[in-house]
Amino acid sequence: MIVLGIETSCDETAAAIVNDRREILANRVLTQLEEHKPYGGVVPEIAARAHLEHLDVLVAMAMDDAGLDFADLDAVACTGGPGLIGGVMVGTMTAKAIAFAAHKPFIAVNHLEGHALTVRLTDDVAFPYLLLLVSGGHCQILIVKGVGQYKRIGTTIDDAVGEAFDKTAKMMGLGYPGGPALEQLAKKGDPLRFGLPRPLRGRPGCDFSFSGLKTAVRIYLDGFPVEQQTDTVKADLAASFQRAVGETLIDRTRNAVYQFMNEHPGGTTLVVAGGVAANQYLQTRLTELTDQAGLKLVAPPIALCTDNAAMIAWAGLERFRLGEQDGLDFKPRPRWPLDPDAPKRPGAGVKA
Ligand code: KG4
Ligand code: ZN
């Protein structure tokens, strides 16, 4: 079984092909970083136009890499949401057009389901597992029980963790996206110099909050006249911030681990995915947690943790082999929670 996947929900234009032997036959990702850099963040209108300009070429390149024609495909999958709606429309229209012209089934994939199932493409991980999804747009803890079966047990009540990294890095003048730059700077700093809050630590439940942390960094920075905002001050702030994020994340994830082990005594694995999973310090802290709990930590390779189309092709394939597909009247969804029964909170999932 061979599936083409298309991803256009944020600032990566991507096309990929996978098969049911868990082989990635093509995986093309074009990042729009340079287009958005001058604005310090993703501009939806610019993103949509860039997807439109590049997507057909990327699909052609992916088909070429795999040495396949559309006729060789078993299905065409694309991100149907959630995400920036202009981009999702470009991807959905393209996928529908290919499916229609080549007489192939069309599958609209939830972008979050793509992240959630990636680990089954890269590793031998059986259901159920616990998933910590941490990126610029998402910050959730889910119990993944099966394809299409998700229980969200924690979410951010304000910023996503990558967003907190990016905003903190921006105020320290580190550019966009700030997460990787902040991690590098933190390596040179003293994580104990600045006392920062650990939002929600010790509270029951698995929700996160990061916006207060960012504000606390701002207040420290403002306390220094510009000429005293030296590299050392910034490195110490970066290290203190990263440590506070790590401790907050671990505290909330620990509660999730207990809940997961209670509800699924046979469960063995915590999966961490999303761009922030690239952070080595956070991975070390998470490994400490899973070692204590007797779980295994699995992180897909970073190129498949950040936005890509292989994860969309794979999630489409997982759904298709269960007999699912969508009609060509599918409407792109700017919001599309993985667990519609999860409690709604003000501000939660805004950037999903
Ligand atoms: O998954 P992703 O590529 O895109 C979405 O947001 O969906 O994640 C990008 C996010 C950005 O916020 C970026 O700053 C963050 O992941 N990130 C990191 C690191 N690498 C990427 N945050 C902290 N440390 C890193 N090493
Ligand atoms: Zn994503």
Side-chain angles (χ1 to χ4, degrees), residues 111 115 135 138 307 311:
H111 177 87
H115 281 300
S135 74
H138 334 292
D307 286 350
M311 69 178 193

Side-chain angles (χ1 to χ4, degrees), residues 49-300:
R49 283 171 198 272
H51 289 307
L52 194 58
E53 202 174 315
H54 301 299
L55 184 56
D56 54 349
V57 179
L58 276 178
V59 169
M61 291 198 296
M63 297 303 297
D64 211 45
D65 293 345
L68 297 173
D69 291 324
F70 290 145
D72 301 318
L73 300 173
D74 291 281
V76 182
C78 70
T79 297
L84 302 173
I85 194 62
V88 179
M89 283 165 66
V90 171
T92 330
M93 290 307 295
T94 307
K96 283 179 183 175
I98 296 169
F100 180 71
H103 307 290
K104 301 293 175 186
F106 163 77
I107 303 160
V109 170
N110 183 316
H111 177 87
L112 300 172
E113 182 160 49
H115 281 300
L117 299 178
T118 303
V119 72
R120 287 166 51 79
L121 167 64
T122 58
D123 294 84
D124 267 316
V125 176
F127 299 121
Y129 51 88
L130 185 65
L131 172 73
L132 174 64
L133 179 53
V134 278
S135 74
H138 334 292
C139 187
Q140 312 189 343
I141 303 191
L142 299 144
I143 296 176
V144 182
K145 298 185 207 172
V147 177
Q149 297 172 45
Y150 305 93
K151 179 174 174 182
R152 194 182 79 191
I153 60 174
T155 185
T156 181
I157 57 171
D158 40 58
D159 290 351
V161 60
E163 192 181 353
F165 265 94
D166 292 339
K167 288 179 176 171
T168 303
K170 191 174 178 181
M171 65 175 110
M172 289 169 47
L174 300 180
Y176 170 84
L182 198 145
E183 180 179 16
Q184 288 314 313
L185 189 60
K187 286 185 180 152
K188 295 182 255 169
D190 172 7
L192 301 177
R193 174 162 176 196
F194 295 103
L196 292 168
R198 269 65 170 156
L200 298 179
R201 184 164 69 175
R203 303 264 193 95
C206 320
D207 286 337
F208 303 96
S209 166
F210 292 106
S211 70
L213 206 46
K214 174 193 69 193
T215 310
V217 173
R218 159 101 278 156
I219 291 168
Y220 273 121
L221 256 187
D222 288 349
F224 287 93
V226 179
E227 67 280 4
Q228 286 177 27
Q229 290 179 12
T230 59
D231 289 350
T232 312
V233 166
K234 287 186 184 170
D236 292 348
L237 258 178
S240 304
F241 169 83
Q242 184 172 259
R243 186 184 166 99
V245 170
E247 288 182 358
T248 306
L249 214 53
I250 293 310
D251 178 78
R252 315 311 297 153
T253 308
R254 184 180 297 111
N255 288 354
V257 163
Y258 290 145
Q259 182 174 343
F260 171 65
M261 290 170 77
N262 239 326
E263 292 179 13
H264 301 275
T268 58
T269 309
L270 169 66
V271 175
V272 57
V276 182
N279 186 293
Q280 288 306 309
Y281 172 77
L282 296 180
Q283 279 212 17
T284 307
R285 301 302 305 255
L286 283 168
T287 308
E288 287 165 17
L289 172 66
T290 45
D291 283 353
Q292 277 168 14
L295 290 186
K296 197 167 61 168
L297 180 73
V298 182

